[in-house]
Amino acid sequence: MRKLAFALAVASGLAGCTNAEKGAVIGGVGGAALGTAAGGNDVRNAVVGGAIGAVAGTLIGAAADRRGYCRFRDRNGRIFEAPCR
């Protein structure tokens, strides 16, 4: 029951955030969990994993915040953003 209450509190706290902010929080928490799971129960692993996850989540969320831009793939397989057609 405590986990559900905690999850609801976190979800309601993120309700007013942008996608970049939500991505940073979710990426940071997930990265810390994965860092601890992969490297053992060490604070350093959690901090490094959390930092990497927060940066990745911010970048992914920021890409979702760009209104009016779409992601395209060119002939060589590279993905780029440009104004939507």
Side-chain angles (χ1 to χ4, degrees):
M1 189 68 175
R2 284 190 219 167
K3 290 181 184 180
L4 178 62
F6 179 73
L8 289 174
V10 169
S12 66
L14 291 176
C17 296
T18 64
N19 286 334
E21 293 166 343
K22 289 177 188 175
V25 171
I26 293 169
V29 171
L34 287 175
T36 301
N41 193 8
D42 187 11
V43 174
R44 185 174 25 169
N45 296 329
V47 170
V48 171
I52 292 170
V55 169
T58 301
L59 293 175
I60 292 169
D65 278 341
R66 294 190 62 178
R67 300 210 187 271
Y69 280 81
C70 295
R71 297 181 76 187
F72 298 101
R73 186 179 304 264
D74 65 7
R75 287 182 225 160
N76 298 323
R78 292 180 293 220
I79 297 174
F80 63 95
E81 289 184 359
C84 295
R85 301 177 197 181

